[in-house]
Amino acid sequence: VSPLRVALLGYGLAGRVIHRPLLQRVPELALTHVVTADPGRQAAARAEVPGAQVLTSAEQLWQCADAFDVVVVATPNDVHVPLARTAVDLRKAVVVDKPLALSATEAATLVAHAATAGVPLSVFHNRRWDSDSLTARDLLADGRLGRVHRLEARFTRFRPQVQQRWREEPGSGGVLLDLGTHLVDQAVHLLGPVRSVYSEVQELRSGAVVDDDAFLALTHASGARSLLWCSAAAPWTGPRLVLQGSAAGWAKQDLDGQEAAQRDGAEPGPEPDGTLWDEAGTHPVPSRQGDWAAFYRGFAGAVLAGRPVPVDPQDAVEVQRVLEAARRSSGAGEVMRLEGPEAALA
Ligand SMILES: NC(=O)c1ccc[n+]([C@@H]2O[C@H](COP(=O)([O-])OP(=O)(O)OC[C@H]3O[C@@H](n4cnc5c(N)ncnc54)[C@H](O)[C@@H]3O)[C@@H](O)[C@H]2O)c1
């Protein structure tokens, strides 16, 4: 029945700034429950989501399971799996923010559990709907770049002081699991499955106890390569996304504007052009507008009309396999091979 009633778990950066405005924009969805223990955030939720029930714990939410249809998990990473598992057991369609789990094995177990239960599960890999990803897909599809042999992507910040927060603590934290998830998903989405990984994962900042800087070199099954940088310790950053092909190269400079706009309660402005280089010179390339709401339009279609979920959760498992291989590579100083699904069948 439309609109689907959505319960949002967590009202921090992700819940409040990223998911709420998107959920409020999609007519097939109604945000009816918000769960957060923090009194300040509860007050914010009451003001920003009129009519929603604001609850203090997941346990409270599970007790009114008849009152909602969809669960969105936007909590710290360590509770993604237990919360999503309970939602599946209650037969609620589930969206889990990235990373799906703390490990590939844990992710795969959850995906299998949802599949067995016949419950729609998707993972919020929203950066597939960034301006740069959408424009890159168009360029790959129209062939203007020729044969694309390399992708470069950066998602870096400069936060020289280590802070006391779960993101920077052992267990859930680290830049690889945080920003690396976005970069690897984007690379796989654009250039296909990964067959080997070389990586350097470091703690650069004074007092850092989890990784705050990582470089990954992926070789895709196609032979193309992706070079990816994520960091909390990068004073300088290069272009957000670059594609190098046999006929032309293309770059988009800056991070998509949706998060910044949603933080300000504004509509994102037009995205700056990218640049294409070919033998004739340089050419501006209009950038597609980012569209994170597409994820939720797709998810509503999956639940209401039985269409495929917008992000296959198996993709999130594959991303976590790549990240784990990256960590092993960095530890061993060696290239790690990943077996493809066809190897598992052999
Ligand atoms: N896809 C994206 O663009 C994006 C951006 C930011 C964060 N995230 C992801 O969103 C998640 C949350 O990140 P954040 O920055 O919002 O964190 P945060 O610390 O700002 O907020 C976390 C929220 O979860 C609540 N919470 C904690 N434990 C809970 C539990 N057991 N049950 C219910 N609620 C609980 C907290 O009270 C808080 O409201 C992380 O997994 C992160 O990776 C994704």
Side-chain angles (χ1 to χ4, degrees), residues 96-215:
V96 184
D97 209 324
K98 47 56 66 174
L100 176 55
L102 294 180
S103 73
T105 305
E106 200 189 26
T109 306
L110 176 65
V111 172
H113 186 62
T116 306
V119 171
L121 164 70
S122 192
V123 186
F124 190 65
H125 284 179
N126 51 323
R127 295 201 171 270
R128 292 186 186 185
W129 289 273
D130 275 12
S131 167
D132 45 90
S133 290
L134 294 172
T135 310
R137 273 189 87 84
D138 286 353
L139 287 166
L140 288 167
D142 75 15
R144 284 164 76 188
L145 305 180
R147 192 179 59 79
V148 171
H149 54 264
R150 190 160 70 219
L151 174 153
E152 297 170 25
R154 292 173 180 78
F155 202 153
T156 68
R157 295 169 170 149
F158 185 46
R159 303 207 170 130
Q161 308 305 329
V162 173
Q163 293 172 40
Q164 275 210 326
R165 47 183 196 151
W166 65 263
R167 268 200 161 74
E168 310 206 32
E169 285 162 11
S172 283
V175 78
L176 192 62
L177 206 50
D178 184 9
L179 303 179
T181 302
H182 286 305
L183 290 174
V184 171
D185 181 64
Q186 183 173 42
V188 174
H189 187 57
L190 292 171
L191 295 186
V194 173
R195 286 295 170 264
S196 71
V197 184
Y198 168 76
S199 184
E200 296 164 8
V201 183
Q202 318 180 72
E203 287 108 49
L204 286 179
R205 297 169 305 164
S206 163
V209 291
V210 291
D211 55 274
D212 58 9
D213 185 271
F215 164 71

Side-chain angles (χ1 to χ4, degrees), residues 9-15 18 35-37 41 58 74-77 79-80 83 97-99 124 126-127 166-167 178 182:
L9 282 159
Y11 206 63
L13 168 64
I18 295 182
V35 179
T36 177
R41 288 175 174 176
T75 62
N77 303 340
V79 284
H80 285 186
L83 292 171
D97 209 324
K98 47 56 66 174
F124 190 65
N126 51 323
R127 295 201 171 270
W166 65 263
R167 268 200 161 74
D178 184 9
H182 286 305

